[in-house]
Amino acid sequence: MLSSNPQQLDPPGPMAPIESATSQSARVNMAEHSEQLGEPAPGPWRQALTKLWRDRSAMMAALLLFAIIVASLLAPVYAERIAGVDPFNSSLEAEVILDGQSVPVLAPSTEGLGIGVVPIGPTWRLNAYFLGADEQGRDVMARLLYGGRATLFIGSLSTAITLILAAILGICAGFFGGWIDQLLSRVLDILWAFPIYLLAICLSIVLLTAHIEIGPLTIDSGSLLIPIGIIGIIYVPYVARPIRGQVLALRRSEFVMAAIGLGVPPLRILIRDILPNVVTTLIVFVPLMMALNIATETALSFLSLGVQPPGASWGTIIRDGQSLLYSRPWVSTAPGLVIIVTIVALNILGDGVRDAFDPRAKLRP
């Protein structure tokens, strides 16, 4: 058995086969109403999606996330056609026209000994350094949009890796038991023993200095596959353990025991009886894990262990603006605000998904 840990996430409950009295009463009333109208009663998936659709907070959060994703995908359009800048190359001698006057993007510093340069501040014009420039004369707004592409891409793929690996390990450990459960549990315990960020930093330092070759596949040190793989692996125990516990409970349920007694092949039981009950739990985990993965990617990139230059992510932009906090605070403030909005929206959406797909969520203390 896996040992308990205070860092364990509070696992969301599945759409359990055994429903509460309130859920049963609501389902019966809906079925009777549908029968009176001559329509078939809606299934559990349709009921869950309908409940999620009626959750205004979750829908507002989903709409906000959709806007952020669309804006990030349109980063090349903004950089090339609207701002006319290259967000990845330095522009030390670039100039911009403001109110009919040519203004240098990087002006000589007038503070102290006059050493160094001061980048242009926000102009609040979409076609001319809307959020200003960084110390290398790069458009912050363009880099913010491109950084969103990288951060959301890493967060999405690492979440998929986490859920797929956790589902495989948790289902195998919970269903087959015996030495398979013991082996997989010990592997998860080893990963669980390391602090999340310490493990991620150690893996990043090792992999970023290595040239990885897996058969015909070659992964360079600056590839996004490295942070995707690292973040996807370190959170596997946090999802696999709740999945394993759920499968253990399903393994002892009457319908699974009856299928085993009738000689149904294990693979068929896993596909038809176990997996449908686990899928809803995985769906609930999607927005929650994506929020965690985005925060982790931001931290690694801020420490120069995630997205590598000249690439951009929200974490690298915050790092680039660290020395400009007093003179040009928007370089760091803008990506910080976007990160906060994105993570809060994902958590609100996650609450809505949990309430919709878990009929017993509000009955548990």
Side-chain angles (χ1 to χ4, degrees):
M1 298 294 292
L2 293 174
S3 59
S4 61
N5 192 300
Q7 294 179 338
Q8 183 173 356
L9 296 173
D10 184 15
M15 290 181 67
I18 302 176
E19 298 181 348
S20 64
T22 303
S23 300
Q24 289 179 348
S25 176
R27 191 183 297 276
V28 170
N29 292 336
M30 184 174 294
E32 292 177 350
H33 180 68
S34 298
E35 291 177 357
Q36 292 174 1
L37 296 177
E39 299 176 357
W45 284 94
R46 183 176 177 181
Q47 293 183 40
L49 293 175
T50 301
K51 186 176 181 180
L52 180 61
W53 177 259
R54 293 174 178 174
D55 190 333
R56 295 184 178 180
S57 298
M59 288 298 98
M60 289 296 295
L63 183 61
L64 183 58
L65 288 171
F66 179 76
I68 293 174
I69 293 172
V70 170
S72 298
L73 293 177
L74 293 177
V77 176
Y78 173 82
E80 297 173 7
R81 300 187 179 183
I82 299 178
V85 296
D86 185 349
F88 302 109
N89 292 326
S90 301
S91 302
L92 302 180
E93 298 180 358
E95 295 183 350
V96 60
I97 304 299
L98 296 176
D99 298 328
Q101 298 182 354
S102 179
V103 179
V105 175
L106 296 177
S109 176
T110 59
E111 298 180 358
L113 299 176
I115 301 176
V117 294
V118 177
I120 188 173
T123 64
W124 309 119
R125 301 177 183 181
L126 288 175
N127 62 345
Y129 292 88
F130 183 79
L131 292 174
D134 60 11
E135 287 185 318
Q136 298 185 38
R138 299 173 297 190
D139 191 312
V140 175
M141 184 64 183
R143 287 182 61 80
L144 181 67
L145 296 178
Y146 271 102
R149 289 162 62 99
T151 298
L152 295 174
F153 179 73
I154 293 173
S156 301
L157 260 65
S158 59
T159 298
I161 292 174
T162 298
L163 296 181
I164 292 173
L165 293 178
I168 294 173
L169 297 178
I171 291 175
C172 292
F175 184 79
F176 294 105
W179 67 269
I180 296 179
D181 185 18
Q182 291 295 326
L183 176 62
L184 295 179
S185 297
R186 298 295 77 79
V187 172
L188 294 176
D189 282 341
I190 293 174
L191 288 176
W192 190 275
F194 289 92
I196 286 294
Y197 286 98
L198 178 61
L199 178 60
I201 290 172
C202 293
L203 291 175
S204 298
I205 293 174
V206 173
L207 295 178
L208 287 175
T209 57
H211 189 73
I212 304 173
E213 293 185 1
I214 306 175
L217 178 63
T218 301
I219 302 177
D220 297 327
S221 59
S223 174
L224 295 182
L225 294 177
I226 293 179
I228 289 173
I230 292 173
I231 298 172
I233 291 173
I234 61 177
Y235 283 111
V236 168
Y238 293 83
V239 181
R241 291 183 60 159
I243 297 297
R244 173 184 174 273
Q246 181 183 353
V247 174
L248 284 173
L250 291 171
R251 180 68 170 74
R252 301 186 184 97
S253 61
E254 294 181 357
F255 64 95
V256 173
M257 297 298 294
I260 295 175
L262 292 173
V264 179
L267 182 60
R268 186 175 181 182
I269 296 176
L270 287 174
I271 295 176
R272 298 191 62 179
D273 298 322
I274 302 297
L275 190 58
N277 286 281
V278 173
V279 165
T280 54
T281 302
L282 295 175
I283 292 175
V284 173
F285 266 118
V286 169
L288 304 178
M289 292 309 305
M290 190 167 178
L292 280 175
N293 291 344
I294 287 176
T296 304
E297 186 279 328
T298 301
L300 291 178
S301 295
F302 179 80
L303 296 173
S304 301
L305 299 175
V307 177
Q308 298 300 302
S313 78
W314 290 336
T316 60
I317 299 173
I318 293 176
R319 184 193 64 213
D320 293 340
Q322 190 175 9
S323 60
L324 300 172
L325 283 176
Y326 295 103
S327 59
R328 296 291 182 262
W330 277 103
V331 178
S332 292
T333 303
L337 291 176
V338 176
I339 292 170
I340 293 174
V341 171
T342 303
I343 293 179
V344 170
L346 283 168
N347 279 277
I348 294 175
L349 179 60
D351 290 340
V353 172
R354 181 200 60 202
D355 294 340
F357 284 87
D358 183 5
R360 300 182 299 170
K362 294 185 178 180
L363 298 179
R364 290 195 301 267

